Amino acid sequence: MTTRGRGSVRIGPISLFALAIILCLAVMAVLSVTTAQATYAAAERQASFTADTYANERAGQEFAADIDAALAPVRAAGGGLAEALAAVRAALPADAELDGSTVKAEFTADSGRALAVVLQIHADATYSVASWKATTLWTENGAGETLWSGAAQTR
């Protein structure tokens, strides 16, 4: 048996390769967890946004149904535009407005999603949808993050 004067650990090429692979796997695991969390947060925001859109659509449909229900007795009686407008005025919600023979209402959710509905009342006590427009109001939440300033640093 031979003895060595100094004890040393010999790292061969296989050991270095295994160390590099382990480091790469650790980095990939961290990136995977980070990406999964970001995807989950984006999916939650999208779900909330979609729920608000559907809530606005439902409110708009109920508004149109209320206007149609107010016009139904006028249609049955053969009334004209003046009677139709009087019936609509009586059934109009507080946040809606009647401008001539046009009824306007806007429904807004907390997320900034809005629905603007414009109905046109006709002389035969019917209505048509003049506009049904879904929009998003921009809200600035916080200062935001600057990922890169775009300027090179000078000395």
Side-chain angles (χ1 to χ4, degrees):
M1 280 209 230
T2 62
T3 59
R4 294 185 186 159
R6 287 185 288 165
S8 66
V9 176
R10 295 179 59 132
I11 298 178
I14 298 293
S15 298
L16 288 175
F17 183 68
L19 181 64
I21 294 295
I22 289 170
L23 286 174
C24 288
L25 287 174
V27 168
M28 293 294 274
V30 169
L31 290 175
S32 294
V33 169
T34 304
T35 302
Q37 181 61 33
T39 302
Y40 176 75
E44 287 293 317
R45 282 192 306 271
Q46 182 65 31
S48 172
F49 188 76
T50 302
D52 288 346
T53 299
Y54 287 145
N56 286 344
E57 286 290 327
R58 180 180 174 155
Q61 291 290 338
E62 288 174 355
F63 172 71
D66 290 345
I67 297 298
D68 188 50
L71 291 173
V74 177
R75 272 194 307 269
L81 183 60
E83 292 86 6
L85 292 176
V88 167
R89 191 173 290 112
L92 206 60
D95 56 348
E97 67 179 69
L98 181 62
D99 183 22
S101 62
T102 303
V103 181
K104 299 176 185 177
E106 185 165 338
F107 307 97
T108 306
D110 291 337
S111 66
R113 193 71 176 147
L115 175 66
V117 177
V118 178
L119 303 176
Q120 184 70 41
I121 308 299
H122 301 291
D124 59 350
T126 60
Y127 72 95
S128 61
V129 177
S131 174
W132 193 278
K133 188 175 182 180
T135 58
T136 302
L137 304 173
W138 177 261
T139 56
E140 184 68 37
N141 293 336
E145 295 180 21
T146 303
L147 298 178
W148 180 58
S149 66
Q153 293 184 5
T154 58
R155 294 181 187 219

